Amino acid sequence: MSICNKKTLLCLAVSGSLFSVSYAANANDHYDHNHHDGEHHESEHRHHDAHVHGVVETNIAQDGDHLLFEITAPGADVVGFEHAPKDDAQKQVLANAVKTLNNPNLIFTLLENAKCTLEEAHVSHNLVNHNDHDDHEHDHDHDHDHDHHDGEHHKEHGKHGEFSAQYEYHCEAISNLDQIETQWFTHFPHTHKMTIQYLGDAGQKAASLTPKSSVITL
């Protein structure tokens, strides 16, 4: 059972945090548009930004003594490609990445005096073989008209390779957790930036981490 199924309220809190912080951060950019067009453009903007090479999104929600992390990362950031592995070398890179992601203690450092214990980790990705098969079939289908081809091409183009990870911690002294450090950039150097959305007792916060600035203060 996935973490979201077990912690629906936490997941909703994360999603709400992401929406409200992102909307506030971008509101001024769309001030001159009418309300309807602004909402549509903002929605498209967030959808597009959800998959930007070099940028990983991390949402953190705290509820009582529970801490939930949700990470969304382009395949290129994690393994250097966004398709199913094409040879043994890429298969090994993928396997190593999944192994690393399944060990969140390698990804995040939580203060010892917060007494946080990992309760569950869930990692998934869509770098699977049937995507390549679909692309192969599409490439050899020359009988469709131009409009249909463009539609299918756009559909295929939207199938970005992506990783998702969820981590749930129980922290006996969560009030002592006033910062979180990430080692993501050490393990996945293709990433240039990690955006953080946090919602918890310390309030709501947005931050951007980089290889040279990898600590978020709560």
Side-chain angles (χ1 to χ4, degrees), residues 62 64-65 111 113-114 116 171-179 201:
Q62 178 252 323
D65 54 9
L111 297 176
N113 61 356
C116 296
C171 303
E172 294 181 13
I174 201 165
S175 60
N176 293 327
L177 187 67
D178 57 8
Q179 70 175 39
D201 289 346

Side-chain angles (χ1 to χ4, degrees), residues 25-26 45 49-58 71-74 76-78 108 182 184-186 188-197 206-214:
N26 290 286
H45 179 70
D49 283 354
H51 188 100
V52 179
H53 293 180
V55 179
V56 170
E57 291 186 349
T58 298
I71 304 173
T72 302
D77 282 49
V78 179
F108 294 105
T182 184
W184 178 279
F185 302 101
T186 299
F188 306 114
H190 292 290
T191 303
H192 305 303
K193 181 172 71 173
M194 174 182 281
T195 63
I196 303 288
Q197 308 286 351
S208 293
L209 304 184
T210 66
K212 294 183 178 180
S213 178
S214 57

Side-chain angles (χ1 to χ4, degrees), residues 75-146:
D77 282 49
V78 179
V79 293
F81 51 88
E82 293 198 338
H83 50 73
K86 295 181 177 181
D87 53 39
D88 289 341
Q90 290 188 345
K91 288 179 181 179
Q92 188 60 53
V93 169
L94 178 59
N96 291 342
V98 171
K99 182 178 180 180
T100 298
L101 289 171
N102 271 303
N103 187 352
N105 292 328
L106 296 176
I107 307 297
F108 294 105
T109 298
L110 307 180
L111 297 176
E112 288 187 12
N113 61 356
K115 299 181 180 180
C116 296
T117 302
L118 179 69
E119 291 195 336
E120 189 171 349
H122 178 74
V123 176
S124 61
H125 65 83
N126 61 357
L127 278 66
V128 291
N129 285 323
H130 70 77
N131 284 343
D132 282 351
H133 177 71
D134 289 343
D135 290 342
H136 178 78
E137 291 296 328
H138 175 68
D139 289 342
H140 287 81
D141 188 358
H142 301 295
D143 297 327
H144 294 292
D145 59 47
H146 182 72

